[in-house]
Amino acid sequence: MEGYCLKCKAKREITNPVAGFLSNGRPTTSGICSVCGSKIHKMGSTEAHAGLTPPPPAPKTEKKRKGRTGKLVIVESPTKAKTVGRFLGKGYQVRASVGHVRDLLRSQLSVDVDNGFTPKYRIPNEKRPVVKELKALAKDAAEVYLATDPDREGEAIAWHLMEATELEPAITRRVAFHEITKSAIEEAFRNPRDVDMNLVNAQQARRILDRLVGYMLSPLLWAKVRSRLSAGRVQSVALRLVAEREREITAFQPAEYWSIEADLAKLQNGDQTFRAKLAKVDDQDPALENQAEAEELAADLRNAAFSVARVRTGERRRNPSAPFTTSTLQQEASRKLGFSPKKTMAIAQQLYEGVEIDSMGMTGLITYMRTDSPQVAESAQLEARKYIAEKFGADFIPSELPQYRSKSRSAQEAHEAIRLTSVERYPKSLEEYLSRDQNRLYSLIWQRFVASQMAPAVFDTVQVDVEAKGNRTYLLRASGATLRFQGFLAVYEEARDEDQAEDETQVSLPSLNEGEPLRLIELHPDQHFTQPPPRYTEAALIRALEEFGIGRPSTYAPILSTIQARGYVVREEKRLAPTEIGFTVNDMLVKYFPDVINTGFTATMEEELDEIAEGAHDWTSTLREFYEPFCKDLRHAEEEIPKVSDAPELLGRNCPTCGNPLVIRYGRFGKFIGCSTFPVCRYVEPWLEKTGVRCPKDGGELVERKTRKGRIFYACSNYPACDFTSWKKPLAIPCPACNGLLVVANRQTVQCTQCQEKFPIDSILAKEEESA
């Protein structure tokens, strides 16, 4: 039997072990270190304890509370402590736990799967001084309030604080508030409660479930693939989404198709032209699959007689978007501000916990930022309506208070949306107190919330059917809209993903009458190719996770950070692409753990965790139902998965330092080139992905490189002799106008780096196919 010797600072064999119990009934074994002779104590039950009877636990006696005064309030962060303390005033001591004070051990599974999945928690060394201080303060306090965040993780932190600091239940109360304002804090302290163990158990179940998957699958990857890999219940499903999308793109076969559009004008006073698109040929949908078919119709249309067949007018109302939830905030901050989900949440946390403002001190500017509910407190809605009426007028206020419902499959509607703590704190007035990024995110939240409480925008719409008579009868259609009433658009308009189609109705048409003849200005037969589904942006992947019911508001940012940090996914031109090792890990996990690494299982598990939080399901039963079949799959995988060869791949040239062959190796940040004799020779160089495109400066090959933060750019392989770089992906085909270098500007266009001309990407791809 081994135990840890404090003198040797290592595990040593215990000589003369004696089984016994502590006064509290916990089993222990005492003995002598076989090396230095010091006493060793090992906690835990052993075979020697079988048949021994532990002493009865000493009766708990109520400690005398003489001399206890004041109230202790414990929050998570020093900033939050400062803000909350300003509102509570005298008689309260507000201290910060600085996050979690207990967690599962990192060095082991730390879950007793044979004993009801009992977790083994430990206070990290760096948190021991914090716990010691809180313990001392609690001994002298008449009341202790746990004011951690109002979600499951916050509830779990409150429980861990009780356990770690041995707080007395009789004097300990839980308070929760969704915004750090005087009224919200006073309301919370008027209605304290006990720690909700259902919420705690739901969080424990999530933590243990993730630990079981991560700590049991990761060693499998180390043994079968290579070290420094990891797997996770949710991160692996996110990786699967990215990998499967990439395979869809690779397998996609573009199909050619053509469209015909006509620029038309009135015969009289026809200065204003408008464009109509071919919709019908002899009352049938046209199938324009090639140039010959398109040109045949175009030739007939050039000689056809055009007239207005029908004019339909109407009204369209466009409603504002709901206030932000965690998911929509991360998506919009990604699209509009270019923030990663991790950065968005870090800044939102700062705005929630409080910022120093001269006249008000530490002030919380937004409500709690981890939420999946778009609901808003009525008091906040009324404040917004007052501001809107004063700023824009009564017409901009809807007749009733807007009500929003979440589109998420498993939203917890008890929470509030992310909103301002006061509409009167305008972004402009806070510029001197906030950093640039803080102000940009605050402005986004301010605009979205105010817009959500405003009236819809109103458009006058018109749809015109144009008849063209030649050898055949054609129907062309044009539609447009003009803004009649701005409504919420006076404040805010939601951004679009690059791959989302533009709203083509935002154009005005001339005044037209049915039967009125028209003249053809120009005809546009255009070639197109069907496009594969786009790679996920970070915003799009978050939206997909939410739609599938995967994860929770607090997990979206860590999921995306993890799959990129592990090297499974990289960002290329703001989109997520799986790496070679990402494909390897995904394929292995999906093949051998199909019941776990899928969206259905992950979403169902989230629903079960919700039931645990509501007290409708036992958390240990949930873990047991998962663990038993998972273990069978794990044993099968260990036996069946062949080991991936980890022999380094020869590069084909020799090391410039020692002359031995160079090989391709894998490190924490992906591929690199190193000497085959490592560690004898430590020569390394970066792995450069070739693009097959020549540098416009010196004719060298353009290669893919990465910045220190992982952003991809393109540079000449002759660097530093040649300093050409581009953030945009280069294309092999030259510019049609000047033979310069073409780069991908976005999903619709390419641009020349020399003459700056832009071209439709479809036409360039068509020329590339012809040249191939």
Side-chain angles (χ1 to χ4, degrees):
M1 181 187 301
E2 288 187 335
Y4 188 81
C5 177
L6 293 174
K7 188 173 181 180
C8 296
K9 295 184 179 179
K11 284 189 176 183
R12 301 297 190 195
E13 188 70 25
I14 301 175
T15 58
N16 302 323
V18 178
F21 297 91
L22 299 178
S23 59
N24 62 5
R26 295 178 66 185
T28 181
T29 302
S30 303
I32 304 298
C33 174
S34 59
V35 175
C36 69
S38 301
K39 286 186 178 180
I40 294 181
H41 296 280
K42 179 182 175 66
M43 300 301 298
S45 181
T46 65
E47 293 180 0
H49 287 87
L52 298 180
T53 304
K60 290 186 177 180
T61 57
E62 185 71 23
K63 294 182 180 179
K64 292 183 180 180
R65 293 173 57 184
K66 275 189 177 181
R68 288 190 169 195
T69 57
K71 300 171 183 178
L72 174 64
V73 181
I74 306 176
V75 298
E76 299 99 317
S77 78
T79 304
K80 184 177 176 181
K82 193 173 180 182
T83 310
V84 171
R86 184 172 73 84
F87 292 118
L88 290 175
K90 292 182 180 179
Y92 290 88
Q93 285 190 86
V94 185
R95 292 291 185 272
S97 67
V98 197
H100 289 269
V101 293
R102 289 201 316 175
D103 200 0
L104 302 173
L105 279 74
R106 293 181 183 177
S107 58
Q108 55 185 262
L109 182 63
S110 205
V111 178
D112 189 349
V113 295
D114 297 321
N115 188 24
F117 298 93
T118 305
K120 184 178 181 181
Y121 292 115
R122 176 181 180 273
I123 301 171
N125 292 336
E126 64 271 17
K127 289 299 179 72
R128 291 184 185 277
V130 176
V131 171
K132 186 177 180 180
E133 181 194 7
L134 294 176
K135 222 174 191 180
L137 291 170
K139 283 182 180 178
D140 297 329
E143 297 174 21
V144 179
Y145 292 93
L146 303 173
T148 48
D149 287 343
D151 57 9
R152 293 177 195 169
E153 187 172 8
E155 204 74 19
I157 291 175
W159 176 70
H160 283 302
L161 280 166
M162 283 191 71
E163 296 291 311
T165 58
E166 299 175 358
L167 296 176
E168 297 175 42
I171 64 168
T172 304
R173 304 292 281 160
R174 170 84 166 107
V175 290
F177 37 82
H178 294 273
E179 58 182 276
I180 306 178
T181 59
K182 186 176 180 62
S183 58
I185 291 171
E186 288 176 349
E187 177 66 21
F189 276 80
R190 280 196 296 269
N191 299 282
R193 58 174 174 81
D194 293 331
V195 171
D196 189 334
M197 288 308 297
N198 289 329
L199 296 178
V200 173
N201 288 336
Q203 183 63 23
Q204 280 199 109
R206 177 189 294 280
R207 185 78 181 91
I208 293 170
L209 191 63
D210 290 342
R211 174 58 67 99
L212 292 173
V213 174
Y215 271 52
M216 297 178 81
L217 283 187
S218 296
L220 179 68
L221 295 177
W222 303 340
K224 302 296 184 178
V225 186
R226 68 164 191 252
S227 62
R228 291 181 176 174
L229 300 178
S230 74
R233 180 179 62 90
V234 180
Q235 77 174 56
S236 298
V237 178
L239 171 61
R240 180 175 183 176
L241 291 176
V242 176
E244 289 182 347
R245 174 62 60 87
E246 191 70 16
R247 287 208 165 99
E248 282 183 66
I249 295 169
T250 304
F252 184 81
Q253 296 294 324
E256 179 185 6
Y257 71 97
W258 286 70
S259 66
I260 298 177
E261 295 181 330
D263 288 338
L264 303 167
K266 301 173 73 166
L267 284 180
Q268 303 296 325
N269 301 320
D271 293 336
Q272 183 181 356
T273 63
F274 66 96
R275 183 166 290 194
K277 186 174 183 178
L278 179 64
K280 299 282 185 182
V281 179
D282 295 333
D283 290 328
Q284 300 294 319
D285 292 332
L288 304 177
E289 296 179 352
N290 53 58
Q291 185 174 5
E293 292 178 4
E295 289 295 348
E296 180 184 346
L297 297 183
D300 190 27
L301 278 166
R302 289 189 180 96
N303 298 312
F306 291 83
S307 63
V308 178
R310 185 178 182 185
V311 178
R312 282 175 288 185
T313 59
E315 175 185 286
R316 178 166 60 86
R317 290 176 174 266
R318 183 174 166 192
N319 292 316
S321 300
F324 282 130
T325 61
T326 302
S327 165
T328 55
L329 175 63
Q330 291 175 359
Q331 292 174 49
E332 193 74 344
S334 174
R335 288 189 291 248
K336 280 199 167 183
L337 307 180
F339 289 178
S340 69
K342 184 177 180 180
K343 180 176 181 178
T344 298
M345 295 311 292
I347 297 172
Q349 182 94 30
Q350 295 162 11
L351 297 175
Y352 166 70
E353 292 182 344
V355 176
E356 186 75 45
I357 298 176
D358 286 347
S359 58
M360 295 178 284
M362 291 296 292
T363 305
L365 299 178
I366 65 170
T367 54
Y368 192 55
M369 63 286 156
R370 294 187 184 94
T371 174
D372 51 16
S373 170
Q375 295 181 354
V376 176
E378 186 175 326
S379 59
Q381 290 183 295
L382 295 175
E383 184 190 23
R385 287 170 75 86
K386 180 183 175 184
Y387 166 78
I388 294 164
E390 292 174 354
K391 177 72 175 176
F392 299 99
D395 290 344
F396 285 78
I397 304 174
S399 57
E400 297 180 355
L401 294 178
Q403 301 296 323
Y404 297 97
R405 301 290 295 177
S406 175
K407 296 178 182 178
S408 173
R409 290 173 52 180
S410 50
Q412 299 169 32
E413 300 286 4
H415 294 171
E416 258 201 88
I418 302 170
R419 60 167 175 83
L420 320 164
T421 54
S422 174
V423 173
E424 300 297 329
R425 297 192 187 102
Y426 314 123
K428 193 76 176 172
S429 67
L430 297 177
E431 280 183 346
E432 61 181 298
Y433 307 111
L434 302 179
S435 69
R436 179 174 179 270
D437 285 344
Q438 284 176 334
N439 191 258
R440 292 173 74 199
L441 189 66
Y442 180 74
S443 297
L444 194 66
I445 296 169
W446 190 94
Q447 292 166 359
R448 175 82 165 223
F449 172 66
V450 172
S452 74
Q453 303 305 307
M454 296 176 73
V458 182
F459 294 85
D460 289 324
T461 61
V462 60
Q463 186 180 81
V464 178
D465 288 350
V466 176
E467 186 178 66
K469 290 190 174 180
N471 295 329
R472 305 173 74 174
T473 301
Y474 304 90
L475 175 68
L476 295 89
R477 186 162 288 151
S479 57
T482 54
L483 181 64
R484 188 206 310 166
F485 174 67
Q486 268 192 307
F488 75 93
L489 290 176
V491 174
Y492 173 85
E493 184 169 9
E494 190 172 19
R496 297 172 180 271
D497 281 330
E498 273 186 19
D499 48 276
Q500 283 185 295
E502 290 293 326
D503 190 346
E504 296 179 349
T505 64
Q506 304 306 307
V507 294
S508 61
L509 299 177
S511 177
L512 299 168
N513 299 309
E514 292 184 7
E516 182 176 358
L518 300 170
R519 60 190 171 94
L520 175 66
I521 305 298
E522 189 175 355
L523 205 64
H524 302 275
D526 293 323
Q527 182 187 40
H528 308 276
F529 290 90
T530 54
Q531 295 293 312
R535 284 174 172 171
Y536 286 109
T537 59
E538 289 188 327
L541 184 57
I542 289 171
R543 186 169 64 245
L545 293 173
E546 185 178 36
E547 288 172 354
F548 281 119
I550 298 169
R552 278 292 175 267
S554 60
T555 63
Y556 298 137
I559 290 168
L560 268 71
S561 296
T562 299
I563 59 176
Q564 292 178 72
R566 297 296 181 193
Y568 297 155
V569 169
V570 294
R571 284 184 71 187
E572 294 182 359
E573 299 169 3
K574 298 183 180 179
R575 293 184 177 271
L576 303 175
T579 61
E580 183 180 337
I581 192 64
F583 273 127
T584 301
V585 169
N586 174 71
D587 294 349
M588 184 178 293
L589 294 177
V590 169
K591 180 177 180 180
Y592 290 95
F593 300 92
D595 296 333
V596 176
I597 312 301
N598 72 66
T599 55
F601 166 80
T602 310
T604 301
M605 187 56 66
E606 292 295 346
E607 292 170 2
E608 289 195 27
L609 292 173
D610 289 344
E611 291 177 3
I612 294 170
E614 294 164 2
H617 205 288
D618 177 58
W619 68 285
T620 56
S621 299
T622 296
L623 293 173
R624 190 177 301 106
E625 289 165 9
F626 159 78
Y627 183 71
E628 291 174 0
F630 175 67
C631 279
K632 290 180 182 177
D633 289 344
L634 186 65
R635 286 192 293 270
H636 174 71
E638 288 171 341
E639 295 170 0
E640 297 295 325
I641 296 178
K643 181 168 175 56
V644 176
S645 173
D646 57 358
E649 181 184 344
L650 290 173
L651 190 65
R653 56 187 174 91
N654 293 331
C655 174
T657 302
C658 68
N660 286 294
L662 289 175
V663 295
I664 299 171
R665 296 187 181 276
Y666 292 87
R668 182 180 176 187
F669 302 106
K671 276 185 181 181
F672 69 95
I673 297 169
C675 184
S676 57
T677 63
F678 178 88
V680 175
C681 175
R682 293 181 173 270
Y683 174 82
V684 294
E685 62 182 70
W687 172 262
L688 303 176
E689 294 284 352
K690 297 180 180 179
T691 63
V693 181
R694 290 294 166 187
C695 174
K697 272 195 170 183
D698 69 352
E701 182 153 19
L702 293 182
V703 295
E704 184 182 290
R705 291 181 179 270
K706 288 183 181 180
T707 65
R708 289 183 180 179
K709 292 187 176 180
R711 185 179 175 187
I712 291 174
F713 69 100
Y714 301 90
C716 182
S717 59
N718 294 329
Y719 177 85
C722 176
D723 62 355
F724 175 83
T725 60
S726 171
W727 290 111
K728 297 173 181 177
K729 186 176 181 179
L731 297 176
I733 192 165
C735 171
C738 69
N739 285 327
L741 175 68
L742 288 179
V743 295
V744 177
N746 52 50
R747 283 182 60 82
Q748 285 79 38
T749 59
V750 298
Q751 185 174 19
C752 178
T753 58
Q754 187 169 307
C755 67
Q756 304 302 313
E757 281 290 321
K758 291 185 177 180
F759 306 93
I761 199 166
D762 285 347
S763 62
I764 298 300
L765 291 176
K767 289 179 181 178
E768 198 168 32
E769 282 194 358
E770 289 171 8
S771 63

